[in-house]
Amino acid sequence: MKKINLNGKWIIGISLLIISGYAYLIQASDNEQVIEETSAKMHFEINNTKHSKEKLKSKASHAKDLEKEKPTYKAILDKALLIKDKELRIKTISNHLLNWAKDAPYECVHWLDEQYETPEYMLYVSQVIHFLITDDLSLAGSIILNFEILHSDQSIVDDYLSSQVAVSPYDGIEWLNNLNNEKIKQEAEFRLLQSWANLDPTQLLNYLEVHTEIAGNKRHIIQHQLAQTLTKNNSQQVQDEFYSYPPSFQPNLAYSVISQWPEHELSDAREWIFTLEGEQSKYFAIKSYIDYTGTSSANMNELIEQIHSPTLRAYLLERLQ
């Protein structure tokens, strides 16, 4: 009985060992398949990545070739200069210049600087500078100062300053201080002050009180224009606040007030002159009255007699003849 049990246990053990071995073989086979599949997948991905990189490299190389083939603005413009038809030449060059000014303004102006003998040269310069002033005023100012051919041109300087004074007159003055062409600078300053007088006369009046170096005929013309603008804006306010203005400015103001006095109220104008204080203010007011009304001495003798200076009084009496 014991012998049978031992034999049975031995058979069972052998069977379990066979089953375990078979299971191991199956698992090993599955693992090998997984490894093969994984290896194949990795190989595919490596090949695919390599192919993608080569594809991208090919595209990049193609883009570089296209970039190399794309002509520069300089090459385009040099070619456009050879166009014989004037109208077509101007149109073509103008279009390319404006595009170049948008992309690289300094390079564009540098090319223009080298084309002084080019037909229609000033037309192209004017177009580019006008575009830059409209597009970026600060950049335009910097470019004009950097190119002598630009800041030595009165019309270009005036064009820039007429825009700058509307934004900030003080920035315009500072820009002028960097200009090394004294003749252009003096003329440009005068025109800037004239524009300023129309835009903001009170602000300019304050500026003139500080900057006494602006003198002589230039100062007189600017003050006259200031007075005209102030009186035109609000004549009654100027009359009411007359003595609040600087004494040196009052004579110009008196002339302007009378010159714009309503024609049907001239008796009031004479009364205002009569009450004016200051020899110069009264003189300029009477002079203005004579200039604008051409009245006879019969109406003006009393006022003229208030002028103490014999020279000024004689001058007014002479103007009545």
Side-chain angles (χ1 to χ4, degrees), residues 73-103:
Y73 279 112
K74 186 180 183 304
I76 293 171
L77 288 166
D78 288 342
K79 185 177 180 181
L81 286 172
L82 302 176
I83 298 173
K84 293 183 179 180
D85 185 274
K86 182 179 179 180
E87 186 177 344
L88 179 59
R89 181 174 67 245
I90 291 173
K91 183 179 178 181
T92 304
I93 292 176
S94 297
N95 288 339
H96 288 306
L97 279 173
L98 291 179
N99 287 330
W100 198 3
K102 292 176 189 176
D103 296 339

PDB file of all heavy atoms in Angstrom, residues 73-103:
ATOM      1  N   TYR A  73      16.238  94.913 -52.005  1.00  0.00           N
ATOM      2  CA  TYR A  73      15.661  96.188 -52.445  1.00  0.00           C
ATOM      3  C   TYR A  73      16.664  96.948 -53.315  1.00  0.00           C
ATOM      4  O   TYR A  73      16.290  97.573 -54.307  1.00  0.00           O
ATOM      5  CB  TYR A  73      15.282  97.038 -51.240  1.00  0.00           C
ATOM      6  CG  TYR A  73      13.959  96.660 -50.606  1.00  0.00           C
ATOM      7  CD1 TYR A  73      13.902  96.098 -49.335  1.00  0.00           C
ATOM      8  CD2 TYR A  73      12.768  96.888 -51.285  1.00  0.00           C
ATOM      9  CE1 TYR A  73      12.689  95.759 -48.765  1.00  0.00           C
ATOM     10  CE2 TYR A  73      11.539  96.563 -50.713  1.00  0.00           C
ATOM     11  CZ  TYR A  73      11.496  95.994 -49.441  1.00  0.00           C
ATOM     12  OH  TYR A  73      10.296  95.668 -48.877  1.00  0.00           O
ATOM     13  N   LYS A  74      17.936  96.887 -52.921  1.00  0.00           N
ATOM     14  CA  LYS A  74      18.965  97.599 -53.677  1.00  0.00           C
ATOM     15  C   LYS A  74      19.029  97.094 -55.111  1.00  0.00           C
ATOM     16  O   LYS A  74      19.085  97.899 -56.063  1.00  0.00           O
ATOM     17  CB  LYS A  74      20.320  97.425 -52.988  1.00  0.00           C
ATOM     18  CG  LYS A  74      21.439  98.237 -53.613  1.00  0.00           C
ATOM     19  CD  LYS A  74      22.750  98.014 -52.864  1.00  0.00           C
ATOM     20  CE  LYS A  74      23.869  98.885 -53.440  1.00  0.00           C
ATOM     21  NZ  LYS A  74      24.081  98.671 -54.878  1.00  0.00           N
ATOM     22  N   ALA A  75      18.995  95.770 -55.255  1.00  0.00           N
ATOM     23  CA  ALA A  75      19.058  95.187 -56.597  1.00  0.00           C
ATOM     24  C   ALA A  75      17.815  95.557 -57.414  1.00  0.00           C
ATOM     25  O   ALA A  75      17.910  95.886 -58.601  1.00  0.00           O
ATOM     26  CB  ALA A  75      19.179  93.669 -56.489  1.00  0.00           C
ATOM     27  N   ILE A  76      16.668  95.521 -56.749  1.00  0.00           N
ATOM     28  CA  ILE A  76      15.405  95.868 -57.420  1.00  0.00           C
ATOM     29  C   ILE A  76      15.431  97.317 -57.893  1.00  0.00           C
ATOM     30  O   ILE A  76      15.049  97.641 -59.020  1.00  0.00           O
ATOM     31  CB  ILE A  76      14.209  95.629 -56.478  1.00  0.00           C
ATOM     32  CG1 ILE A  76      14.040  94.136 -56.183  1.00  0.00           C
ATOM     33  CG2 ILE A  76      12.926  96.194 -57.070  1.00  0.00           C
ATOM     34  CD1 ILE A  76      13.027  93.821 -55.103  1.00  0.00           C
ATOM     35  N   LEU A  77      15.889  98.221 -57.000  1.00  0.00           N
ATOM     36  CA  LEU A  77      15.905  99.645 -57.334  1.00  0.00           C
ATOM     37  C   LEU A  77      16.951  99.981 -58.394  1.00  0.00           C
ATOM     38  O   LEU A  77      16.719 100.817 -59.271  1.00  0.00           O
ATOM     39  CB  LEU A  77      16.147 100.467 -56.065  1.00  0.00           C
ATOM     40  CG  LEU A  77      14.955 100.513 -55.107  1.00  0.00           C
ATOM     41  CD1 LEU A  77      15.375 101.044 -53.740  1.00  0.00           C
ATOM     42  CD2 LEU A  77      13.844 101.381 -55.680  1.00  0.00           C
ATOM     43  N   ASP A  78      18.105  99.332 -58.298  1.00  0.00           N
ATOM     44  CA  ASP A  78      19.136  99.549 -59.316  1.00  0.00           C
ATOM     45  C   ASP A  78      18.612  99.170 -60.704  1.00  0.00           C
ATOM     46  O   ASP A  78      18.907  99.832 -61.703  1.00  0.00           O
ATOM     47  CB  ASP A  78      20.395  98.743 -58.995  1.00  0.00           C
ATOM     48  CG  ASP A  78      21.163  99.322 -57.817  1.00  0.00           C
ATOM     49  OD1 ASP A  78      20.920 100.494 -57.481  1.00  0.00           O
ATOM     50  OD2 ASP A  78      22.002  98.604 -57.234  1.00  0.00           O
ATOM     51  N   LYS A  79      17.829  98.109 -60.722  1.00  0.00           N
ATOM     52  CA  LYS A  79      17.229  97.663 -61.984  1.00  0.00           C
ATOM     53  C   LYS A  79      16.133  98.637 -62.431  1.00  0.00           C
ATOM     54  O   LYS A  79      16.014  98.957 -63.618  1.00  0.00           O
ATOM     55  CB  LYS A  79      16.656  96.258 -61.805  1.00  0.00           C
ATOM     56  CG  LYS A  79      16.125  95.647 -63.093  1.00  0.00           C
ATOM     57  CD  LYS A  79      15.640  94.220 -62.847  1.00  0.00           C
ATOM     58  CE  LYS A  79      15.102  93.606 -64.139  1.00  0.00           C
ATOM     59  NZ  LYS A  79      14.607  92.220 -63.912  1.00  0.00           N
ATOM     60  N   ALA A  80      15.348  99.119 -61.445  1.00  0.00           N
ATOM     61  CA  ALA A  80      14.243 100.033 -61.763  1.00  0.00           C
ATOM     62  C   ALA A  80      14.753 101.358 -62.339  1.00  0.00           C
ATOM     63  O   ALA A  80      14.061 102.005 -63.132  1.00  0.00           O
ATOM     64  CB  ALA A  80      13.402 100.288 -60.515  1.00  0.00           C
ATOM     65  N   LEU A  81      15.948 101.765 -61.934  1.00  0.00           N
ATOM     66  CA  LEU A  81      16.524 103.021 -62.438  1.00  0.00           C
ATOM     67  C   LEU A  81      16.752 102.976 -63.949  1.00  0.00           C
ATOM     68  O   LEU A  81      16.846 104.022 -64.604  1.00  0.00           O
ATOM     69  CB  LEU A  81      17.855 103.304 -61.737  1.00  0.00           C
ATOM     70  CG  LEU A  81      17.782 103.776 -60.287  1.00  0.00           C
ATOM     71  CD1 LEU A  81      19.166 103.820 -59.668  1.00  0.00           C
ATOM     72  CD2 LEU A  81      17.123 105.149 -60.193  1.00  0.00           C
ATOM     73  N   LEU A  82      16.819 101.774 -64.499  1.00  0.00           N
ATOM     74  CA  LEU A  82      17.086 101.613 -65.929  1.00  0.00           C
ATOM     75  C   LEU A  82      15.822 101.675 -66.770  1.00  0.00           C
ATOM     76  O   LEU A  82      15.901 101.652 -68.007  1.00  0.00           O
ATOM     77  CB  LEU A  82      17.801 100.271 -66.169  1.00  0.00           C
ATOM     78  CG  LEU A  82      19.129 100.080 -65.423  1.00  0.00           C
ATOM     79  CD1 LEU A  82      19.668  98.684 -65.673  1.00  0.00           C
ATOM     80  CD2 LEU A  82      20.138 101.141 -65.837  1.00  0.00           C
ATOM     81  N   ILE A  83      14.663 101.745 -66.110  1.00  0.00           N
ATOM     82  CA  ILE A  83      13.395 101.828 -66.853  1.00  0.00           C
ATOM     83  C   ILE A  83      13.352 103.146 -67.625  1.00  0.00           C
ATOM     84  O   ILE A  83      13.518 104.220 -67.046  1.00  0.00           O
ATOM     85  CB  ILE A  83      12.186 101.727 -65.886  1.00  0.00           C
ATOM     86  CG1 ILE A  83      12.197 100.366 -65.173  1.00  0.00           C
ATOM     87  CG2 ILE A  83      10.882 101.925 -66.644  1.00  0.00           C
ATOM     88  CD1 ILE A  83      11.135 100.243 -64.086  1.00  0.00           C
ATOM     89  N   LYS A  84      13.114 103.065 -68.922  1.00  0.00           N
ATOM     90  CA  LYS A  84      13.169 104.259 -69.765  1.00  0.00           C
ATOM     91  C   LYS A  84      11.904 105.108 -69.655  1.00  0.00           C
ATOM     92  O   LYS A  84      11.973 106.334 -69.724  1.00  0.00           O
ATOM     93  CB  LYS A  84      13.412 103.855 -71.216  1.00  0.00           C
ATOM     94  CG  LYS A  84      14.806 103.256 -71.428  1.00  0.00           C
ATOM     95  CD  LYS A  84      15.051 102.942 -72.887  1.00  0.00           C
ATOM     96  CE  LYS A  84      16.455 102.373 -73.090  1.00  0.00           C
ATOM     97  NZ  LYS A  84      16.707 102.066 -74.521  1.00  0.00           N
ATOM     98  N   ASP A  85      10.767 104.451 -69.516  1.00  0.00           N
ATOM     99  CA  ASP A  85       9.516 105.198 -69.399  1.00  0.00           C
ATOM    100  C   ASP A  85       9.486 105.957 -68.059  1.00  0.00           C
ATOM    101  O   ASP A  85       9.512 105.345 -66.991  1.00  0.00           O
ATOM    102  CB  ASP A  85       8.326 104.235 -69.477  1.00  0.00           C
ATOM    103  CG  ASP A  85       7.003 104.962 -69.472  1.00  0.00           C
ATOM    104  OD1 ASP A  85       6.500 105.253 -68.369  1.00  0.00           O
ATOM    105  OD2 ASP A  85       6.474 105.255 -70.555  1.00  0.00           O
ATOM    106  N   LYS A  86       9.441 107.278 -68.121  1.00  0.00           N
ATOM    107  CA  LYS A  86       9.555 108.107 -66.917  1.00  0.00           C
ATOM    108  C   LYS A  86       8.445 107.826 -65.908  1.00  0.00           C
ATOM    109  O   LYS A  86       8.699 107.654 -64.703  1.00  0.00           O
ATOM    110  CB  LYS A  86       9.541 109.585 -67.307  1.00  0.00           C
ATOM    111  CG  LYS A  86       9.692 110.526 -66.124  1.00  0.00           C
ATOM    112  CD  LYS A  86       9.697 111.978 -66.575  1.00  0.00           C
ATOM    113  CE  LYS A  86       9.815 112.917 -65.382  1.00  0.00           C
ATOM    114  NZ  LYS A  86       9.819 114.336 -65.796  1.00  0.00           N
ATOM    115  N   GLU A  87       7.229 107.786 -66.372  1.00  0.00           N
ATOM    116  CA  GLU A  87       6.084 107.576 -65.468  1.00  0.00           C
ATOM    117  C   GLU A  87       6.175 106.221 -64.772  1.00  0.00           C
ATOM    118  O   GLU A  87       5.956 106.106 -63.566  1.00  0.00           O
ATOM    119  CB  GLU A  87       4.775 107.686 -66.255  1.00  0.00           C
ATOM    120  CG  GLU A  87       3.534 107.630 -65.379  1.00  0.00           C
ATOM    121  CD  GLU A  87       2.259 107.816 -66.182  1.00  0.00           C
ATOM    122  OE1 GLU A  87       2.321 108.284 -67.338  1.00  0.00           O
ATOM    123  OE2 GLU A  87       1.182 107.471 -65.646  1.00  0.00           O
ATOM    124  N   LEU A  88       6.509 105.179 -65.546  1.00  0.00           N
ATOM    125  CA  LEU A  88       6.638 103.838 -64.980  1.00  0.00           C
ATOM    126  C   LEU A  88       7.821 103.771 -64.015  1.00  0.00           C
ATOM    127  O   LEU A  88       7.745 103.130 -62.966  1.00  0.00           O
ATOM    128  CB  LEU A  88       6.818 102.810 -66.110  1.00  0.00           C
ATOM    129  CG  LEU A  88       6.987 101.346 -65.674  1.00  0.00           C
ATOM    130  CD1 LEU A  88       5.770 100.885 -64.876  1.00  0.00           C
ATOM    131  CD2 LEU A  88       7.211 100.454 -66.884  1.00  0.00           C
ATOM    132  N   ARG A  89       8.926 104.446 -64.371  1.00  0.00           N
ATOM    133  CA  ARG A  89      10.118 104.451 -63.515  1.00  0.00           C
ATOM    134  C   ARG A  89       9.802 105.077 -62.147  1.00  0.00           C
ATOM    135  O   ARG A  89      10.131 104.530 -61.100  1.00  0.00           O
ATOM    136  CB  ARG A  89      11.252 105.211 -64.198  1.00  0.00           C
ATOM    137  CG  ARG A  89      12.542 105.237 -63.388  1.00  0.00           C
ATOM    138  CD  ARG A  89      13.679 105.879 -64.153  1.00  0.00           C
ATOM    139  NE  ARG A  89      13.476 107.292 -64.382  1.00  0.00           N
ATOM    140  CZ  ARG A  89      13.313 107.847 -65.581  1.00  0.00           C
ATOM    141  NH1 ARG A  89      13.316 107.099 -66.670  1.00  0.00           N
ATOM    142  NH2 ARG A  89      13.134 109.154 -65.711  1.00  0.00           N
ATOM    143  N   ILE A  90       9.158 106.229 -62.176  1.00  0.00           N
ATOM    144  CA  ILE A  90       8.817 106.932 -60.929  1.00  0.00           C
ATOM    145  C   ILE A  90       7.885 106.088 -60.070  1.00  0.00           C
ATOM    146  O   ILE A  90       8.089 105.947 -58.850  1.00  0.00           O
ATOM    147  CB  ILE A  90       8.169 108.300 -61.237  1.00  0.00           C
ATOM    148  CG1 ILE A  90       9.203 109.241 -61.849  1.00  0.00           C
ATOM    149  CG2 ILE A  90       7.572 108.912 -59.975  1.00  0.00           C
ATOM    150  CD1 ILE A  90       8.634 110.558 -62.334  1.00  0.00           C
ATOM    151  N   LYS A  91       6.880 105.513 -60.699  1.00  0.00           N
ATOM    152  CA  LYS A  91       5.908 104.699 -59.955  1.00  0.00           C
ATOM    153  C   LYS A  91       6.571 103.482 -59.329  1.00  0.00           C
ATOM    154  O   LYS A  91       6.347 103.168 -58.149  1.00  0.00           O
ATOM    155  CB  LYS A  91       4.779 104.257 -60.893  1.00  0.00           C
ATOM    156  CG  LYS A  91       3.680 103.468 -60.198  1.00  0.00           C
ATOM    157  CD  LYS A  91       2.589 103.076 -61.180  1.00  0.00           C
ATOM    158  CE  LYS A  91       1.506 102.250 -60.477  1.00  0.00           C
ATOM    159  NZ  LYS A  91       0.445 101.839 -61.426  1.00  0.00           N
ATOM    160  N   THR A  92       7.418 102.808 -60.112  1.00  0.00           N
ATOM    161  CA  THR A  92       8.082 101.584 -59.628  1.00  0.00           C
ATOM    162  C   THR A  92       9.039 101.897 -58.481  1.00  0.00           C
ATOM    163  O   THR A  92       9.010 101.255 -57.428  1.00  0.00           O
ATOM    164  CB  THR A  92       8.858 100.906 -60.777  1.00  0.00           C
ATOM    165  OG1 THR A  92       7.957 100.647 -61.856  1.00  0.00           O
ATOM    166  CG2 THR A  92       9.487  99.601 -60.305  1.00  0.00           C
ATOM    167  N   ILE A  93       9.883 102.894 -58.693  1.00  0.00           N
ATOM    168  CA  ILE A  93      10.867 103.251 -57.662  1.00  0.00           C
ATOM    169  C   ILE A  93      10.177 103.752 -56.394  1.00  0.00           C
ATOM    170  O   ILE A  93      10.557 103.384 -55.279  1.00  0.00           O
ATOM    171  CB  ILE A  93      11.855 104.311 -58.202  1.00  0.00           C
ATOM    172  CG1 ILE A  93      12.736 103.687 -59.293  1.00  0.00           C
ATOM    173  CG2 ILE A  93      12.718 104.870 -57.077  1.00  0.00           C
ATOM    174  CD1 ILE A  93      13.674 104.665 -59.963  1.00  0.00           C
ATOM    175  N   SER A  94       9.156 104.559 -56.553  1.00  0.00           N
ATOM    176  CA  SER A  94       8.437 105.101 -55.390  1.00  0.00           C
ATOM    177  C   SER A  94       7.831 103.996 -54.544  1.00  0.00           C
ATOM    178  O   SER A  94       7.943 104.002 -53.311  1.00  0.00           O
ATOM    179  CB  SER A  94       7.334 106.063 -55.851  1.00  0.00           C
ATOM    180  OG  SER A  94       7.868 107.175 -56.524  1.00  0.00           O
ATOM    181  N   ASN A  95       7.205 103.033 -55.190  1.00  0.00           N
ATOM    182  CA  ASN A  95       6.577 101.920 -54.454  1.00  0.00           C
ATOM    183  C   ASN A  95       7.601 101.110 -53.676  1.00  0.00           C
ATOM    184  O   ASN A  95       7.392 100.787 -52.500  1.00  0.00           O
ATOM    185  CB  ASN A  95       5.814 101.009 -55.420  1.00  0.00           C
ATOM    186  CG  ASN A  95       4.544 101.642 -55.944  1.00  0.00           C
ATOM    187  OD1 ASN A  95       4.011 102.567 -55.329  1.00  0.00           O
ATOM    188  ND2 ASN A  95       4.062 101.173 -57.082  1.00  0.00           N
ATOM    189  N   HIS A  96       8.715 100.796 -54.324  1.00  0.00           N
ATOM    190  CA  HIS A  96       9.746  99.994 -53.658  1.00  0.00           C
ATOM    191  C   HIS A  96      10.416 100.779 -52.521  1.00  0.00           C
ATOM    192  O   HIS A  96      10.738 100.209 -51.470  1.00  0.00           O
ATOM    193  CB  HIS A  96      10.791  99.518 -54.663  1.00  0.00           C
ATOM    194  CG  HIS A  96      10.293  98.453 -55.590  1.00  0.00           C
ATOM    195  ND1 HIS A  96       9.719  97.277 -55.143  1.00  0.00           N
ATOM    196  CD2 HIS A  96      10.263  98.383 -56.956  1.00  0.00           C
ATOM    197  CE1 HIS A  96       9.374  96.523 -56.181  1.00  0.00           C
ATOM    198  NE2 HIS A  96       9.691  97.172 -57.288  1.00  0.00           N
ATOM    199  N   LEU A  97      10.610 102.063 -52.730  1.00  0.00           N
ATOM    200  CA  LEU A  97      11.228 102.887 -51.688  1.00  0.00           C
ATOM    201  C   LEU A  97      10.359 102.961 -50.436  1.00  0.00           C
ATOM    202  O   LEU A  97      10.856 102.873 -49.310  1.00  0.00           O
ATOM    203  CB  LEU A  97      11.493 104.299 -52.215  1.00  0.00           C
ATOM    204  CG  LEU A  97      12.749 104.484 -53.062  1.00  0.00           C
ATOM    205  CD1 LEU A  97      12.787 105.891 -53.641  1.00  0.00           C
ATOM    206  CD2 LEU A  97      14.006 104.207 -52.254  1.00  0.00           C
ATOM    207  N   LEU A  98       9.065 103.110 -50.625  1.00  0.00           N
ATOM    208  CA  LEU A  98       8.163 103.197 -49.469  1.00  0.00           C
ATOM    209  C   LEU A  98       8.122 101.871 -48.711  1.00  0.00           C
ATOM    210  O   LEU A  98       8.065 101.851 -47.475  1.00  0.00           O
ATOM    211  CB  LEU A  98       6.757 103.606 -49.925  1.00  0.00           C
ATOM    212  CG  LEU A  98       6.636 105.045 -50.436  1.00  0.00           C
ATOM    213  CD1 LEU A  98       5.211 105.339 -50.890  1.00  0.00           C
ATOM    214  CD2 LEU A  98       7.055 106.046 -49.364  1.00  0.00           C
ATOM    215  N   ASN A  99       8.155 100.762 -49.448  1.00  0.00           N
ATOM    216  CA  ASN A  99       8.197  99.451 -48.778  1.00  0.00           C
ATOM    217  C   ASN A  99       9.502  99.269 -48.015  1.00  0.00           C
ATOM    218  O   ASN A  99       9.519  98.736 -46.899  1.00  0.00           O
ATOM    219  CB  ASN A  99       8.040  98.331 -49.816  1.00  0.00           C
ATOM    220  CG  ASN A  99       6.633  98.231 -50.353  1.00  0.00           C
ATOM    221  OD1 ASN A  99       5.671  98.543 -49.651  1.00  0.00           O
ATOM    222  ND2 ASN A  99       6.494  97.808 -51.592  1.00  0.00           N
ATOM    223  N   TRP A 100      10.579  99.723 -48.610  1.00  0.00           N
ATOM    224  CA  TRP A 100      11.891  99.621 -47.958  1.00  0.00           C
ATOM    225  C   TRP A 100      11.944 100.516 -46.724  1.00  0.00           C
ATOM    226  O   TRP A 100      12.507 100.149 -45.685  1.00  0.00           O
ATOM    227  CB  TRP A 100      12.985 100.006 -48.950  1.00  0.00           C
ATOM    228  CG  TRP A 100      14.362  99.559 -48.570  1.00  0.00           C
ATOM    229  CD1 TRP A 100      14.709  98.806 -47.477  1.00  0.00           C
ATOM    230  CD2 TRP A 100      15.584  99.806 -49.283  1.00  0.00           C
ATOM    231  NE1 TRP A 100      16.058  98.576 -47.459  1.00  0.00           N
ATOM    232  CE2 TRP A 100      16.624  99.174 -48.551  1.00  0.00           C
ATOM    233  CE3 TRP A 100      15.893 100.493 -50.450  1.00  0.00           C
ATOM    234  CZ2 TRP A 100      17.954  99.226 -48.975  1.00  0.00           C
ATOM    235  CZ3 TRP A 100      17.218 100.527 -50.877  1.00  0.00           C
ATOM    236  CH2 TRP A 100      18.237  99.906 -50.143  1.00  0.00           C
ATOM    237  N   ALA A 101      11.344 101.697 -46.830  1.00  0.00           N
ATOM    238  CA  ALA A 101      11.316 102.633 -45.692  1.00  0.00           C
ATOM    239  C   ALA A 101      10.548 102.034 -44.511  1.00  0.00           C
ATOM    240  O   ALA A 101      10.875 102.296 -43.355  1.00  0.00           O
ATOM    241  CB  ALA A 101      10.679 103.951 -46.109  1.00  0.00           C
ATOM    242  N   LYS A 102       9.559 101.223 -44.800  1.00  0.00           N
ATOM    243  CA  LYS A 102       8.807 100.539 -43.730  1.00  0.00           C
ATOM    244  C   LYS A 102       9.673  99.465 -43.068  1.00  0.00           C
ATOM    245  O   LYS A 102       9.668  99.325 -41.846  1.00  0.00           O
ATOM    246  CB  LYS A 102       7.551  99.875 -44.299  1.00  0.00           C
ATOM    247  CG  LYS A 102       6.491 100.830 -44.794  1.00  0.00           C
ATOM    248  CD  LYS A 102       5.332 100.056 -45.429  1.00  0.00           C
ATOM    249  CE  LYS A 102       4.362 101.003 -46.129  1.00  0.00           C
ATOM    250  NZ  LYS A 102       3.285 100.245 -46.820  1.00  0.00           N
ATOM    251  N   ASP A 103      10.405  98.716 -43.893  1.00  0.00           N
ATOM    252  CA  ASP A 103      11.185  97.582 -43.385  1.00  0.00           C
ATOM    253  C   ASP A 103      12.529  97.995 -42.774  1.00  0.00           C
ATOM    254  O   ASP A 103      12.923  97.482 -41.727  1.00  0.00           O
ATOM    255  CB  ASP A 103      11.447  96.577 -44.518  1.00  0.00           C
ATOM    256  CG  ASP A 103      10.161  95.956 -45.048  1.00  0.00           C
ATOM    257  OD1 ASP A 103       9.153  95.987 -44.309  1.00  0.00           O
ATOM    258  OD2 ASP A 103      10.160  95.459 -46.185  1.00  0.00           O
TER     259      ASP A 103
END
